[in-house]
Amino acid sequence: GAVVSQHPSWVICKSGTSVKIECRSLDFQATTMFWYRQFPKQSLMLMATSNEGSKATYEQGVEKDKFLINHASLTLSTLTVTSAHPEDSSFYICSARGYSGSPDTQYFGPGTRLTVL
Amino acid sequence: SQQGEEDPQALSIQEGENATMNCSYKTSINNLQWYRQNSGRGLVHLILIRSNEREKHSGRLRVTLDTSKKSSSLLITASRAADTASYFCATDALAQKLVFGQGTRLTINP
């Protein structure tokens, strides 16, 4: 149980375009979802926390107008990278916490690799 | 900001040997968690240890937590080639969001 999926698994786009990444909790309701980014050979950096039906809380230094997060339902959160540039190329990982297993455990998606040309 | 510092950054051992990774953190925590990440993949949750626990086992994994020193260690016994991965500690404080350490890249040589 407690599976989180992400779509797409990888995406290549041109500079200036917007890219949407979906994060779904498949078999549980996620009250809270988290978005991380990870550069090669580095750790995960939390970008934002989203609760269903409310605005996301962004970490310091993360541009909320550039990284739009929508947590529309208890099983779906989306991250839209607007006007993407090469420096936005990264591995984006979502996680979910909710009514499954231990309430302290976050379940991670497989990640989405974004490459901006 | 990153809270956890992991040591060593990279570790290479022979198959069958034990691997020990350490994690230090700065603030009070509710729990500390260890994750594994294979190259270019998502994270796999390994073990969670609460602030009132000192040691926890799961299969070949042993985790210790010393809240007085704000440190934790992950021991993998009888390592296997499949254990090759990056290992991250993550602390869960009052804000209930995970803060990850820098990670240890573990290589098991056959």
Side-chain angles (χ1 to χ4, degrees):
Chain A
V3 176
V4 175
S5 71
Q6 278 185 245
H7 177 79
S9 56
W10 59 270
V11 57
I12 301 173
C13 70
K14 292 182 179 179
S15 186
T17 61
S18 294
V19 175
K20 180 184 284 188
I21 302 170
E22 292 186 350
C23 176
R24 294 181 184 273
S25 57
L26 298 185
D27 50 2
F28 69 102
Q29 292 182 324
T31 52
T32 307
M33 286 184 167
F34 306 85
W35 286 95
Y36 298 83
R37 67 187 298 182
Q38 183 181 33
F39 291 108
K41 296 187 177 180
Q42 294 189 24
S43 187
L44 280 75
M45 295 291 294
L46 179 65
M47 299 174 67
T49 302
S50 74
N51 294 293
E52 185 265 340
S54 61
K55 290 184 178 180
T57 301
Y58 291 81
E59 294 298 302
Q60 192 172 7
V62 177
E63 300 175 60
K64 59 181 67 177
D65 293 333
K66 181 167 188 61
F67 299 100
L68 301 179
I69 292 171
N70 186 342
H71 194 158
S73 73
L74 284 172
T75 59
L76 174 64
S77 177
T78 60
L79 167 67
T80 300
V81 183
T82 62
S83 187
H85 291 284
E87 58 265 30
D88 298 322
S89 298
S90 188
F91 193 51
Y92 292 87
I93 306 175
C94 73
S95 70
R97 187 202 299 255
Y99 305 118
S100 178
S102 166
D104 296 320
T105 300
Q106 288 186 27
Y107 300 94
F108 283 80
T112 296
R113 185 162 303 284
L114 170 64
T115 302
V116 185
L117 302 177
Chain B
S1 61
Q2 295 297 118
Q3 175 170 238
E5 296 293 332
E6 294 189 57
D7 162 52
Q9 291 188 353
L11 178 62
S12 180
I13 61 174
Q14 294 301 119
E15 194 167 17
E17 295 180 340
N18 296 340
T20 299
M21 290 158 270
N22 303 295
C23 167
S24 62
Y25 56 93
K26 298 177 183 175
T27 64
S28 297
I29 60 172
N30 288 329
N31 63 70
L32 185 144
Q33 304 179 36
W34 285 90
Y35 289 83
R36 184 184 74 225
Q37 184 181 36
N38 291 87
S39 182
R41 308 288 291 274
L43 272 72
V44 174
H45 184 262
L46 296 177
I47 200 163
L48 179 153
I49 186 165
R50 302 188 189 284
S51 59
N52 61 352
E53 298 175 311
R54 292 297 168 258
E55 187 171 313
K56 208 160 182 181
H57 297 256
S58 177
R60 294 184 294 113
L61 306 180
R62 172 178 168 249
V63 167
T64 62
L65 179 64
D66 187 335
T67 53
S68 67
K69 295 181 180 179
K70 292 186 169 60
S71 67
S72 173
S73 67
L74 169 67
L75 169 67
I76 303 174
T77 60
S79 63
R80 305 168 182 169
D83 295 328
T84 294
S86 290
Y87 292 81
F88 295 92
C89 68
T91 52
D92 189 342
L94 295 176
Q96 295 194 333
K97 54 187 180 183
L98 291 179
V99 178
F100 283 81
Q102 294 299 320
T104 294
R105 292 189 302 280
L106 175 65
T107 302
I108 308 298
N109 301 304

